[in-house]
């Protein structure tokens, strides 16, 4: 949720709370009842969309990190084995290809890890049997192969999550537009009718309409 939406959401909730606190002043006026009902429905929809938007990226981000952590762990083990073999065999090229430490791998981007995985897979085709002499098992080697085979699928999952989040963001912006339109064109004007008959309601509503954290004079003026 971006800061602008966060600030607007707080304002919408404050407005609804104030209006409901003074329900006795307007619940006998059908037109206001209808507008308040529309506002509450839109606000509930916005709240649901924001929750959905957050879960999309949070879930995929957590899954991606777990996947990368395991990939790096498996990769680091095999690269150490190949580095040790290359050192003993005086294979400088192979040694150079697998010199990255675990710390360095953890700082490596996902795209770069995919490249390193491809290189490692190619070298495993040639040097897998030698790794057995260094205590690395075929099970550990296969675990890396399995993880490496899922890299592109994971990247596609992230892309899909970004697309879904983009769609949710558009829906959220549209709901904000509808809420603002309802506030400015109707609810603000309805509440202004209580300026003389229920001034505390009017004053409290105006205070609730302020967008805390927004630069400038505040929110749209209540008519």
């Amino acid at each position: 949720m971006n800061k602008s939406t966060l600030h607007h959401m707080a304002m919408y909730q404050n407005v609804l709370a104030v209006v409901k606190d003074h329900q006795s002043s307007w619940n006998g006026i059908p037109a206001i009842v209808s507008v308040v009902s529309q506002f509450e429905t839109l606000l509930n929809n916005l709240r649901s969309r924001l929750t959905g938007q957050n879960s999309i990226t949070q879930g995929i981000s957590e899954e991606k990190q777990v996947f990368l952590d395991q990939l790096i762990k498996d990769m680091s083990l095999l690269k150490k084995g190949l580095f040790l073999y290359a050192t003993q065999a005086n294979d400088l090229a192979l040694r150079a290809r697998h010199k990255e430490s675990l710390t360095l791998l953890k700082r490596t981007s996902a795209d770069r890890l995919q490249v390193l995985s491809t290189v490692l897979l190619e070298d495993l085709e040639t040097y897998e049997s030698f790794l057995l002499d260094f205590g690395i098992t075929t099970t550990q080697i296969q675990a890396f192969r399995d993880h490496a085979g899922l890299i592109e699928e994971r990247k596609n999952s992230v892309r899909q999550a970004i697309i879904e989040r983009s769609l949710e963001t558009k829906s959220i912006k549209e709901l904000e537009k509808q809420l603002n339109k309802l506030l400015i064109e109707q609810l603000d004007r309805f509440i202004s009718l209580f300026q003389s008959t229920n001034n505390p309601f009017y004053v409290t509503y105006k205070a609730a309409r302020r967008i805390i954290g927004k630069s400038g004079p505040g929110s749209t003026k209540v008519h």
Side-chain angles (χ1 to χ4, degrees):
M1 187 190 306
N2 63 42
K3 286 185 178 180
S4 175
T5 299
L6 182 65
H7 294 154
H8 277 85
M9 187 67 181
M11 181 268 287
Y12 299 145
Q13 293 179 140
N14 289 340
V15 163
L16 185 61
V18 169
V19 170
K20 286 199 165 187
D21 282 346
H22 294 270
Q23 189 169 354
S24 59
S25 297
W26 53 265
N27 62 1
I29 307 174
I32 299 182
V33 171
S34 176
V35 169
V36 173
S37 177
Q38 291 176 55
F39 184 81
E40 186 168 14
T41 297
L42 288 171
L43 182 55
N44 287 336
N45 288 342
L46 177 60
R47 188 179 294 112
S48 177
R49 289 287 185 179
L50 288 171
T51 300
Q53 182 192 52
N54 184 61
S55 64
I56 288 171
T57 50
Q58 183 175 2
I60 202 69
S61 177
E62 290 174 354
E63 290 176 6
K64 176 186 176 184
Q65 193 55 54
V66 169
F67 173 80
L68 288 178
D69 287 346
Q70 188 60 55
L71 177 72
I72 290 169
K73 180 180 177 181
D74 295 344
M75 180 187 294
S76 178
L77 175 70
L78 300 183
K79 288 176 81 65
K80 285 178 183 177
L82 287 171
F83 183 87
L84 289 170
Y85 166 75
T87 298
Q88 292 188 3
N90 199 31
D91 188 333
L92 299 182
L94 180 64
R95 177 182 162 125
R97 289 199 297 274
H98 300 290
K99 63 183 180 180
E100 296 91 352
S101 65
L102 177 60
T103 300
L104 181 59
L105 290 174
K106 287 181 177 180
R107 295 200 303 261
T108 302
S109 69
D111 286 340
R112 178 61 182 164
L113 285 173
Q114 185 172 20
V115 173
L116 294 177
S117 294
T118 300
V119 173
L120 180 51
L121 286 170
E122 290 173 352
D123 281 338
L124 286 174
E125 292 297 320
T126 304
Y127 302 102
E128 177 176 353
S129 61
F130 295 104
L131 291 179
L132 302 180
D133 295 333
F134 290 82
I136 296 174
T137 67
T138 55
T139 300
Q140 291 170 317
I141 294 171
Q142 188 57 47
F144 171 74
R145 284 197 171 106
D146 292 342
H147 269 88
L150 294 174
I151 292 177
E152 194 60 35
E153 179 181 322
R154 291 291 176 170
K155 287 175 67 176
N156 289 336
S157 296
V158 172
R159 292 189 193 101
Q160 184 60 37
I162 292 172
I163 292 171
E164 291 177 11
R165 182 181 174 86
S166 177
L167 293 174
E168 284 296 304
T169 298
K170 289 181 180 178
S171 297
I172 287 167
K173 289 186 180 297
E174 181 56 34
L175 283 169
E176 284 190 73
K177 285 182 182 179
Q178 293 178 41
L179 281 161
N180 291 335
K181 181 179 175 67
L182 196 62
L183 279 172
I184 295 168
E185 294 185 358
Q186 296 193 61
L187 196 56
D188 285 354
R189 296 173 189 274
F190 271 127
I191 303 306
S192 70
L193 299 176
F194 296 97
Q195 186 171 3
S196 57
T197 59
N198 189 346
N199 190 254
F201 178 21
Y202 172 74
V203 171
T204 306
Y205 177 87
K206 283 186 67 178
R209 280 286 276 118
R210 290 183 61 244
I211 301 175
I212 306 302
K214 179 180 178 182
S215 59
S219 65
T220 302
K221 182 180 180 181
V222 179
H223 296 279

